[in-house]
Amino acid sequence: GQNIDQPTEMTATEGAIVQINCTYQTSGFNGLFWYQQHAGEAPTFLSYNVLDGLEEKGRFSSFLSRSKGYSYLLLKELQMKDSASYLCAVLDSNYQLIWGAGTKLIIKP
Amino acid sequence: ETGVTQTPRHLVMGMTNKKSLKCEQHLGHNAMYWYKQSAKKPLELMFVYNFKEQTENNSVPSRFSPECPNSSHLFLHLHTLQPEDSALYLCASSQEAGASYEQYFGPGTRLTVT
């Protein structure tokens, strides 16, 4: 079957750096997405990786290793507003999105 | 006006009621999606419409009935629901289905079935 694994919850300190990991086993691969979802709000797109390597976008970076079935989202200079759930999703061979259950990130002052 | 809107935001219904959820996108997209989001579970794709044609129905019970009159509007008609159907129902849109375009989500309808 198809599977996406990510930690259920993480805690970090304001101003610090946190890395949220995602591992996947899917039928084919056409890219990996990261979304952010604040409590009670819509998920919003953060990043898309289809080639190996690191993509940087301001304080957020996303890394992909297709051979290892692994990605991470790196958040730098954490702010209180970064408290949210982070969803990892993989586009399989049929271009269907397979979603992880999300990682709830708690930022403490 | 936000890109994807959903109404109502909250809905409480009994098991014998009939209600409809509405979604509208103002992004000029051609694909629209219904998802179910339950606590601590992955998003479950329910239905996909691409250029107004339904392209995906992920074994969803017939008590959920989608309707897509045009590329900007999507409905989910509900009847004789069960308590386990209580969840957040999210609508999303993208440029096109079956490709690597990101999806834009609405704020969701929090549904409670009593």
Side-chain angles (χ1 to χ4, degrees):
Chain A
Q2 309 207 82
N3 195 47
I4 309 284
D5 284 317
Q6 48 181 136
T8 303
E9 187 174 299
M10 298 181 71
T11 302
T13 305
E14 190 177 16
I17 298 173
V18 71
Q19 178 175 309
I20 302 174
N21 295 326
C22 171
T23 57
Y24 62 89
Q25 291 177 309
T26 56
S27 302
F29 179 85
N30 280 300
L32 185 144
F33 291 86
W34 284 97
Y35 282 80
Q36 179 190 61
Q37 186 177 23
H38 286 101
E41 296 184 14
T44 55
F45 169 76
L46 287 178
S47 67
Y48 170 70
N49 295 66
V50 67
L51 299 176
D52 289 350
L54 187 69
E55 296 269 350
E56 296 186 72
K57 201 184 284 186
R59 294 188 299 114
F60 291 12
S61 302
S62 55
F63 171 83
L64 175 68
S65 169
R66 288 172 296 171
S67 62
K68 294 182 179 178
Y70 168 70
S71 172
Y72 67 72
L73 182 69
L74 191 71
L75 290 74
K76 301 177 184 176
E77 301 169 17
L78 286 170
Q79 302 175 9
M80 297 303 293
K81 67 178 182 180
D82 298 329
S83 291
S85 288
Y86 291 86
L87 312 180
C88 173
V90 171
L91 208 53
D92 71 7
S93 57
N94 294 319
Y95 285 92
Q96 182 165 133
L97 268 179
I98 311 301
W99 293 85
T103 298
K104 182 178 180 181
L105 178 63
I106 299 168
I107 309 297
K108 296 186 174 178
Chain B
E1 178 68 89
T2 55
V4 181
T5 58
Q6 290 186 244
T7 54
R9 294 294 309 274
H10 301 272
L11 179 62
V12 179
M13 59 186 290
M15 290 190 282
T16 58
N17 290 159
K18 288 185 179 180
K19 295 286 184 183
S20 295
L21 310 185
K22 179 183 176 182
C23 175
E24 185 173 356
Q25 58 96 1
H26 309 272
L27 300 168
H29 288 164
N30 297 300
M32 296 188 78
Y33 311 77
W34 278 118
Y35 286 94
K36 177 182 179 182
Q37 187 174 37
S38 303
K40 300 185 179 179
K41 288 186 177 180
L43 282 174
E44 296 175 45
L45 179 65
M46 300 175 72
F47 302 104
V48 180
Y49 280 83
N50 199 34
F51 295 93
K52 298 190 297 179
E53 297 295 321
Q54 185 175 321
T55 59
E56 197 77 38
N57 176 341
N58 272 3
S59 303
V60 180
S62 59
R63 57 186 184 268
F64 295 91
S65 174
E67 179 189 358
C68 188
N70 55 61
S71 291
S72 298
H73 294 85
L74 185 65
F75 295 89
L76 188 62
H77 304 299
L78 316 171
H79 64 97
T80 59
L81 294 190
Q82 304 298 310
E84 59 265 29
D85 297 323
S86 297
L88 181 67
Y89 288 84
L90 290 166
C91 172
S93 71
S94 68
Q95 186 62 44
E96 192 175 321
S100 57
Y101 296 106
E102 68 264 30
Q103 295 182 15
Y104 293 77
F105 286 82
T109 295
R110 173 67 62 185
L111 174 67
T112 303
V113 181
T114 61

